[in-house]
Amino acid sequence: HVSVVAFDVATGKDRWRTRIGPRYQDTMGGNGPRATPTVSGKHLVTLAPDGTLVALDAKTGTLTWIRQIAQELGGEVPKWGYSSSPLVVDGRVYVEVGGEGDHGIMALSLKDGQVLWARGGFKAGYSSPAQLTLAGLKQVVFFTAQEVVSAKPESGDILWRRPWKISYDVSAATPLAVGPDAVFIAAGYGVGGVLYDIKRSGANFEAVERWSTPRMRNKMSTSVVIDGHLYGFD
């Protein structure tokens, strides 16, 4: 079964174990869940490969709320299962849902799991959303299956978007801020990486390509930026 487990640091023994879904098997992508649990205050939030999104009490493992983002909220499970780690910031849980209609990217309430906003037209990939400050504004950047898109955290209003051809819809590395006004994304299978400058004119934003290269093909692991250099797995 897919379970969330808390271990005692000193002994390694279980503190609690909460089952959140059936066993997930995938001969190509590997068995088991892919998302990293996120702790915010008293809450622990995570996503199972079948789309079961849960908030648990971080101390006890007791279920606070559960939503099924595929069957209940109209999402479409990616070929190798939901892999995106939920982003939890300022009482909101951001997830890639996919599917038709309004169910592309979404923010839910950390308190009770209610949908705060949803925006359609985006197929779910495998990347985790990131809150980045670009061009002086906090924004949530999603690297979806077919494009990178930025939304206002509070309302979900789309700030900018750039379509990008990705092999097998495998966008897995997390968007990375490079300086105050640029974002780097990358994908494997020969695709490579691209750096976008985020330009702002009043309330309007635009992502302008500065450069792209096939020599930094982050398939699953996100690069890091140190002293003006990108380091990562190609």
Side-chain angles (χ1 to χ4, degrees):
H1 308 298
V2 174
S3 299
V4 185
V5 185
F7 297 97
D8 185 278
V9 173
T11 66
K13 294 181 179 179
D14 286 13
R15 283 196 173 183
W16 52 261
R17 181 181 294 256
T18 302
R19 177 183 171 185
I20 65 171
R23 178 170 179 159
Y24 186 84
Q25 292 182 287
D26 181 353
T27 55
M28 180 175 290
N31 298 334
R34 290 92 159 86
T36 301
T38 301
V39 175
S40 179
K42 66 179 182 180
H43 299 284
L44 182 152
V45 180
T46 196
L47 179 64
D50 69 346
T52 304
L53 178 69
V54 297
L56 309 174
D57 184 292
K59 286 188 177 181
T60 65
T62 304
L63 184 68
T64 303
W65 53 261
I66 182 170
R67 301 301 299 265
Q68 229 301 339
I69 66 173
Q71 292 151 347
E72 179 189 357
L73 298 181
E76 180 183 353
V77 182
K79 184 175 181 179
W80 292 290
Y82 282 110
S83 305
S84 178
S85 301
L87 171 67
V88 184
V89 183
D90 297 332
R92 291 180 289 269
V93 180
Y94 302 96
V95 287
E96 280 190 33
V97 179
E100 299 178 352
D102 294 334
H103 311 295
I105 57 177
M106 191 174 291
L108 299 91
S109 167
L110 176 61
K111 179 181 178 180
D112 56 17
Q114 295 302 305
V115 175
L116 299 175
W117 57 255
R119 294 291 178 271
F122 306 104
K123 187 176 181 180
Y126 305 89
S127 171
S128 302
Q131 179 168 287
L132 308 176
T133 299
L134 300 166
L137 185 69
K138 284 184 180 179
Q139 44 200 279
V140 179
V141 181
F142 297 83
F143 187 17
T144 69
Q146 297 166 343
E147 62 184 303
V148 57
V149 57
S150 169
K152 284 186 177 181
E154 303 86 0
S155 65
D157 293 341
I158 303 302
L159 295 168
W160 55 267
R161 56 195 293 180
R162 280 295 300 257
W164 207 45
K165 186 173 177 58
I166 305 165
S167 298
Y168 308 108
D169 292 334
V170 178
S171 52
T174 301
L176 177 68
V178 181
D181 303 308
V183 61
F184 176 76
I185 58 171
Y189 298 109
V191 174
V194 60
L195 186 75
Y196 292 118
D197 289 306
I198 308 304
K199 299 184 180 295
R200 182 177 185 177
S201 177
N204 298 319
F205 288 78
E206 183 182 12
V208 179
E209 182 179 324
R210 187 192 307 179
W211 54 258
S212 60
T213 176
R215 298 186 63 196
M216 184 61 91
R217 297 171 293 231
N218 298 154
K219 183 177 179 181
M220 299 178 186
S221 298
T222 307
S223 287
V224 296
V225 59
I226 304 173
D227 295 332
H229 293 76
L230 281 162
Y231 298 88
F233 289 104
D234 173 75

